[in-house]
Structure formats: C-alpha cells, structure tokens
Amino acid sequence: MDLDLPESTLAFRAEVRDWLAEHVVTLPSFDTAEGFALHREWEAELADARLSVVSWPEEFGGRDASLVDWLVFEEEYYAAGAPGRVNQNGLFMLAPTLFSHGTPEQQARILPKMARSEEVWAQAWSEPEAGSDIAALRSTATRTSDGWLLSGQKTWSSRAAFADKAFGLFRSDPAEVRHRGLTYFMIDLRADGVQVRPIAQLDGEPGFAELFFDEVFVPDEDVIGEPGAGWRVAMTTANNERGLSLRSPGRFLATAERLVRLWSETRDPALADRVADAWIGARAYQLYTFGTATRLVEGAALGPESSVNKLFWSQLDVSMHETALELLGPAAEVAGDWPDGWLFSLAGPIYGGTDQIQRNIVAERLLGLPRGDR
Amino acid sequence: MRFALSAEQNDFSAALDDYLSTADCDAAARAWADDDLGPGMKLWHGLSALGLLDLLDSGGSLVDLVVAFERLGYHAVPGPWVETAAVLPALAIGSGGRLASVVLPPHVPYGLDADVSDLRLLLVDDGVHEFEPGERLKSVDRARRLFRPEPGARIGDGVPLAFEHGALATAAQLLGAGEWLLATSVAYAKQRKQYGREIGSYQAIKHLLADTVTALELARPLLYAAALTASARDVSAAKVAAGQAASLAARTGLQVHGAIGYTAEHGLGLRLTKVRALVGVWGTPAFHRGRVLA
Ligand SMILES: Cc1cc2nc3c(=O)[nH]c(=O)nc-3n(C[C@H](O)[C@H](O)[C@H](O)COP(=O)(O)OP(=O)(O)OC[C@H]3O[C@@H](n4cnc5c(N)ncnc54)[C@H](O)[C@@H]3O)c2cc1C
C-alpha cells in the first residue's frame, strides 16, 4: 500500500499546474447565454492544450492518461479555481457510455467535437411523470424505414437551454413495460419537431429546460447499443454520474481548503468543528477515490458502491457550503462564490438519483437487504 | 500509487478473524469485566503467538498494525492492546510478552489494567515515568479496568510518536467495532420479522444502515492513509472519522435491534460502550479537530 505518485504523474501535475496558473479565467455562470458562449471558448482553449479530456484516447483529443493522472488533473483544475465544465454531461456521462457501448463510427463522429465543446450535450432522462422512477417514462420512439420518430416530453434537462444535443431513453416497444423495450438515443436539439423551453432555477437563471418532441426524426446511426436494450446502456451512464467521474474529489478538496482559509480569517471557535469535519470529509473522499482507482486499475467494475460516493459527496457539499455561509454571517446573502456554490450544492441530493434512492440501492445491492414495496 | 491492502495483509486479517471467531471473545470480555482474566489472557497469548504483540518490532508496518487493531476492535478483545502493541514500540521499549499500561495526560488520564500490568508508564513533560495503580474507576465499558496513576520516578525520555500510535490504534479499534455493529445489524434486519415482513425491507431501517456503511467505508481510507504518513493531521482525521462512524454504527445498531440490543447478554452492548470510551480517549474529537485545523 502506498500513496506515492509515479514520476510521470508528478511531471504531468507540474505541467498542468503551470498551464492553469497562466490561463485560468473567471467566467460568468454557464447558465446564461453570455456565460455559455464564453465557456465554449474556454473549453476550446483547454482542448488546444490537450487538457480538456486527458483520460481519453489520443485520437479523440485526449492523452490516454491513467485514472490516477486524471484524478491529479482534477485536483489541480479545481485548486486553481478554473471554471466548471459546461459540457460535463457529455464528458462524464455520454462519453463513458460511448466508450462502452458506442460504435467506432459514433465515437469518431461525436467525441472530438465533444472534447472541444463544439457540441455541448444535455441529459434528457427525467420526465414529468418519471423522476426517481425513470422506468415509468412515457416518451416514445416509433420505427420508420431508416430511423425513428421520437415523441413526448423530457424535463429538468441541465444546460439544455443552450446545448446542441441531448441523449436519453425512449420507449421503442409499446408492448413492453418498465425496463424493457427502451432505446437509448442521441438527439439534435435543433432538429424539426424539437421545442426547448428554458426553466429558471433558484438563482433565476435558465439552468435547465423542458424538451418537447413531436415526431422528431433520429437516424439509426444515433442509437447507442441495441434497440430495446437502452436500460442496460443507461446504467453505465448512471454509475458514472453517481461515481467518481462526474464528481471527482478535486472539487471538494478545493472547496474544503477554501473553507479552512475562510475560517482562519476569524477562527470562530463555534464553527471550528464543522470546518474540520469538512476538511476531513473531503480528504476521506479523495482517499476513498484512490482506493476505487486502485480497484479499477486492477480490473474491477464500478457497481453499487458508486451510490455510496453519491450519498457522501452530496451531503458533504451541502454541509461545507452551509458552514461557509455561517462563517460569512450577514454578508452571506451577497452574491458570490459561496452563496452561488450553496445553491448549486442543494441540488446534489436530488439529481443523479435522489439520496433516498441511493440509500435504497446501497441497502439492497450492497448490504443485501430485502426489497420492500416501491 | 496503490491504495489497497496487499494480499498478505488481507490474509493476515483473515487469519486473525479465523482465530478470534472461534475463541469466544465476547465471553472473554465479560469475564475480564468481572476481573476473571483467565480467558482474556488465553486470547493474549494466542494473539501473541500470531505475532501481534511485537508486530512493529519485528518489521511490521503501521498499516499492518491498523489491520490487526481493526480485528481486535471487531471482536471486542479486552486488555491493554493499544498500550502494549502500538505505544511501547514508539517508546522503543520491548514488551517481552508482558502487559503494559500507559497514561498520557490529559488524553489518557487513567491506566488501563494497571493492576495486572508489568510495565506502568506515565508520559508527561516529554519524559517517561513509572506509576503505581491508585484508585480504581468504573468505565462506561465494563471491560476497561481503569486506575488513577500515582506518579513515580522518571526513567527516560518520551517519544512524540507514542501519541500518534495510540490514537491510530484506537481509531482502528473504533472502525472494527463499527464494522461488527453494522454486520450484525444487517444480519438481524434480514431475519427479524414484524408486521409480517423482514424489518430490513422497511426504508426507515434501510436508510439508517446505508448511512452507516457510507460513514464506515469513508473512514477506512483515512485510517490507512494515517498509517502511511503518521502525520498529525492524518491521524487526527482518522480518529475523528472512525469515532463518528463507529458512534453512528452503535446508535443504528441499537435502534435496529430494539430491546434485545439493550441487554447485557447481547454482544452489541460490548461494542456500544467500548465505542463511547474510545471516542474520548487518545484525543477527544475536539482535540483532534483542532489539530486538523492547526
Ligand atoms: C439542478 C438539477 C439538475 C438536473 N439535471 C437533470 C438533467 O440534466 N437531466 C435529467 O434527466 N434530469 C435532471 N434532473 C432531474 C433529477 O434527476 C430528478 O429531479 C430526480 O431524479 C428526482 O426526480 P423528481 O424530481 O421527479 O422527484 P421525485 O422522484 O418525485 O421524488 C420526490 C421525493 O420523493 C422521494 N422518493 C421518490 N421515490 C422514492 C422511493 N422509492 N423511496 C424513497 N423515497 C422516494 C425522493 O427521494 C424525493 O425526496 C435535475 C434535477 C436538478 C434539481
């Protein structure tokens, strides 16, 4: 057992640190039209330095970096205060899905543009009547000669107000129910029959959107995996969302370090314990991730333990931000990183499968407790 | 970087489990509490034969030590293990198989099993002193036999690592106790029926257990990292997190078991009370949090 980073990782870290020190910019929220456009530029700059998707194969714009190098990259990225990733749903959910289930043609066509955020992706899973119970979805896909016609409605789709494309599940076999007869599609949000209605979030910005589909044509080449087998494909995506890729420890460590610095300005004894616990939690998540990385490198697959990740980071994030706001006192209501981060953290226990659902998964699939009524 | 136990460490852990599972440690702990030290000393010698007493002196690492103390905590093995197997080596004093009692005020104010220990050490002002057992005190964990120290002659210099070793081994015992509490509660929830269903099928129970496993799983890597770095910040983080996770496991375990968990005949109480004692000794949570922020 050791925590020593290999020489090559140390060199890579130094390169990343230097590059970020020179290039990091502060951008407005990507939930505004202006911010979204600036984020695209930032992503292109990252891609030019081949730093936007370091763990991907070189042919798609990556560096073939190991999992550990990627974790170190993330730590540096967030420690440098670099902007959030506008294309995170694409990078961290669709891309792993394409690596496992996509055809070589799909990978070559989609991934390089994603790496530069020339195409920004939105996740179109939730529906008005299908939230936690995603298998209850009603949107349909009807077969035509060379593709499918999609109809129905998706909702709460992050970044969809400005995104170019979306990925999601539709019922392609009306005779089947629940998890069967679903197909996984990639959809052009500018296609005929698509209507995007932005929805303002708590901060008033259009952070997500409703999507209406009226016989939207999607060619066969935009189906991921086998028609009818969409649920299995989707589970790859879900494990990535809850697991370490979407929420790498880097961002929580960076937040915890910022919190410790904020605390040391006042050294408020009443809040010392909570600040310490925040740092301990972020360090625990980093180390837990190192353990997961070791297992993955040795050939294990991500299973229900990604729900343990999600439960842990979603609560850690909320408590770190609540503690920061208490430290700030009355100034906490003034817009800035902490209050913005707090609003964002509050969504963590809801999206990606609520924390109650994660607890059910942990209890049943990890601890083997009996299934109850749903 | 390879952040996982080696095959040898996993085997060592399994071997300890094998031995301790057949040894009826709960009975030994209860006897120990009643001053019948026979069964506990049998365990002491058995574990000593497995190399536990001189683990560090015979080339073992702190990670090995943590692996061993996790098992000691899991099985609630009684006796001054932290003092003898973890702290003595940091003072460069060999135990020679003898029991040691170590006091380190204010974090360790009382001498564990001091009346039957061959070595009684009081660490103050960077010095090592002898002490005599004074007044006997009753611990919340009945298997912890506590004595107020009567200071004696100075016999050597203290070593700063003594505290880190004690805190680390205590954290490992806490995590182990938490693991037992979780495993036993999960097994009980699968078997106990009320309203015609296993209680583990109710979400209220599931969610308690899911939160407990999450806390334990995220405390463990802190412990291993602390064993690798032995830095004050990492040791303190491990002690706080293991204490919190074990306390959650104790409260959850009691709630899941209902009244049977509140009885002295059930093994749950042995761990629940030990967890409470260990959370406060070798550095309180407040002390360790302070070191994290230092
Ligand atoms: C900021 C934000 C961004 C999002 N981005 C996206 C996105 O990009 N794409 C997308 O598809 N979706 C997105 N979502 C939607 C998100 O995935 C859903 O909100 C989530 O799955 C929960 O569904 P729901 O809101 O319909 O709540 P419901 O499923 O109606 O749940 C309401 C409450 O009931 C509880 N509950 C429900 N079922 C159970 C059960 N079986 N056991 C115990 N408790 C239960 C839930 O935990 C919750 O507390 C986003 C949500 C937010 C807040």
Side-chain angles (χ1 to χ4, degrees), chain A residues 123 125-126 131-132 156 158 208 347 350-351 354 356-357 360, chain B residues 203:
Chain A
Q123 178 199 21
W125 283 31
S126 304
S132 299
W156 317 131
S158 296
F208 42 34
I350 300 173
Y351 63 71
T354 68
Q356 285 71 39
I357 298 299
N360 289 346
Chain B
Q203 281 194 346

Side-chain angles (χ1 to χ4, degrees), chain B residues 5-6 21 29 37 64 73 89 116 125 161-162 202 246 279 286-287:
Chain B
L5 294 179
S6 66
S21 305
L37 305 190
D64 300 326
V116 293
D125 305 331
L161 269 187
Y202 296 116
V279 160
F287 171 80

